[in-house]
Amino acid sequence: MQFGIFSVSDITTDPTTGHTPTEAERIKDIVTIAKHAEEVGLDVFALGEHHNEPFFSSSPTTTLAYIAAQTSTLQLSTATTLITTNDPVKIAEDFAMLQHLSDGRVDLTLGRGNTGPVYPWFGKDIRAGIPLAIENYALLHKLWREHTVDWKGKYRTPLQSFTSTPRPLDEIPPFVWHGSIRSPEIAEQAAFYGDGFFANHIFWPASHTQRMIALYRERWAHYGHGDPDTAIVGLGGQVFMAKNSQDAVKQFRPYFDNAPVYGHGPSMEDFTRETPLTVGSPQEVIDRTLGFRDYVGDYQRQLFLMDHAGLPLKTVLEQLDLLGSEVVPVLRKEFANLKPAHVPDAPTHASLLAAKSSPEVSVA
């Protein structure tokens, strides 16, 4: 099972000091955070995409390529790549380039984002969000698998005898996760292609995530990819830890209360009860995370949000230390002991290459 972190790239004032980092500070900090994730033994770092303040990550592949040059084992991914407003041709080219630069250590999570104005900024209509996601991915999927593409759709100019360059590394496209909070059409899309489904798993109760993943698993089997429990599932999550839970609650409360998304809304106690947010000791994080399996089944990727709401770099790095030393080793062992042998691991470039070379080899 893969464990890692993801960032939404917010620039938020630290409510305990009043300091607001500059864009330059946050950009440099995110590189430090990603490198430290590898140092503490995590598997994945994923970065979001936004085109508006207070976020900085408008070009995730640029940042990920810079991180790739300074890491050796870390799988690089996106928390969201906007399939609705990015040109599929540019996505195909950018991520194939990143594949080559990182020696295959890349996958991506496609999504529609959560910022309505981004659609007209890029010449799109938000009312066509789902159709855009469906058509654009159909083209992206084709561009990575066919050398010469002829294409005519509703939402972009036609392509005639077009070849996307560079070609995917070893002619193996980056593995795709389809991310969604609430849209069953995206779960259906992931299942249709045999791709992964990543449930945001932050703002909604467990019952909602359970229904979305159950739908994806059911449709995965319907399309002939295997039994429902062999579908490729990823989950998000949020944690804040201290050696004892009382200190964690005390330290995190001002950040929660002033967070740009959920601040000034539900109490932290209500939010931790109704969503997967865990604020407490490392053991409480372990217990809560192991409990995710009870309602989603065996899954392949767990990513945690840690660098948000104005938390300073020092605190984020300390959180990563706890995650890497006290939490993830236990989760790896426990999840591995629980997982049946036929349930695959998350696909990587190496496993996909092995499966291509020897068809009897699983993609896990």
Side-chain angles (χ1 to χ4, degrees), residues 6 32 38 218 292 356:
F6 71 100
T32 300
E38 180 176 276
E218 174 191 336
F292 296 164
K356 178 183 177 182

Side-chain angles (χ1 to χ4, degrees), residues 15-275:
T16 68
T17 66
H19 174 68
T20 303
T22 65
E23 289 179 327
E25 288 173 332
R26 277 291 279 142
I27 291 168
K28 293 295 179 62
D29 285 353
I30 206 66
V31 176
T32 300
I33 289 166
K35 291 164 64 177
H36 198 58
E38 180 176 276
E39 292 166 356
V40 302
L42 301 186
D43 306 307
V44 182
F45 173 77
L47 183 59
E49 178 186 349
H50 289 276
H51 298 275
N52 57 289
E53 295 180 333
F55 305 97
F56 69 80
S57 183
S58 58
S59 180
T61 53
T62 304
T63 311
L64 293 175
Y66 188 72
I67 293 168
Q70 301 178 66
T71 55
S72 60
T73 63
L74 194 66
Q75 182 78 4
L76 304 167
S77 189
T78 55
T80 300
T81 293
L82 299 177
I83 188 62
T84 43
T85 50
N86 282 309
D87 186 348
V89 171
K90 196 67 170 69
I91 296 176
E93 295 173 340
D94 285 350
F95 281 89
M97 180 69 77
L98 183 55
Q99 261 195 319
H100 287 274
L101 291 172
S102 66
D103 295 322
R105 293 184 290 123
V106 61
D107 55 53
L108 66 158
T109 301
L110 299 177
R112 293 181 293 136
N114 59 6
T115 306
V118 74
Y119 285 84
W121 292 341
F122 288 86
K124 307 298 181 183
D125 186 339
I126 192 172
R127 293 169 295 184
I130 292 291
L132 275 164
I134 292 170
E135 180 178 298
N136 284 354
Y137 183 59
L139 175 54
L140 176 60
H141 190 270
K142 191 179 185 75
L143 288 167
W144 275 336
R145 288 163 176 82
E146 298 181 17
H147 186 271
T148 304
V149 172
D150 294 304
W151 171 266
K152 185 176 182 180
K154 182 176 180 181
Y155 297 106
R156 78 170 321 279
T157 53
L159 298 174
Q160 294 182 338
S161 300
F162 178 78
T163 299
S164 174
T165 59
R167 302 304 300 152
L169 179 64
D170 300 317
E171 292 297 328
I172 296 173
F175 185 74
V176 171
W177 302 80
H178 299 261
S180 180
I181 297 176
R182 66 186 187 278
S183 302
E185 296 92 339
I186 302 304
E188 176 80 16
Q189 182 184 42
F192 175 80
Y193 286 101
D195 295 336
F197 180 67
F198 190 88
N200 177 281
H201 200 224
I202 289 180
F203 304 118
W204 290 62
S207 58
H208 173 78
T209 300
Q210 181 181 31
R211 288 193 298 271
M212 289 287 285
I213 291 176
L215 170 64
Y216 163 65
R217 291 189 186 278
E218 174 191 336
R219 301 305 289 171
W220 168 280
H222 170 80
Y223 289 116
H225 301 300
D227 292 337
D229 64 353
T230 65
I232 308 299
V233 173
L235 293 182
Q238 291 175 278
V239 298
F240 186 88
M241 295 173 283
K243 289 294 185 178
N244 66 73
S245 58
Q246 294 85 356
D247 286 343
V249 169
K250 180 179 179 181
Q251 293 168 23
F252 188 62
R253 187 178 298 281
Y255 296 97
F256 178 90
D257 288 346
N258 293 279
V261 176
Y262 42 63
H264 311 288
S267 70
M268 189 166 71
E269 287 72 19
D270 287 343
F271 205 81
T272 54
R273 184 177 60 252
E274 297 297 331
T275 78

Side-chain angles (χ1 to χ4, degrees), residues 277-294:
L277 171 65
T278 306
V279 181
S281 67
Q283 187 60 52
E284 287 175 300
V285 171
I286 290 168
D287 293 341
R288 188 81 180 276
T289 305
L290 287 172
F292 296 164
R293 182 179 178 273
D294 295 338

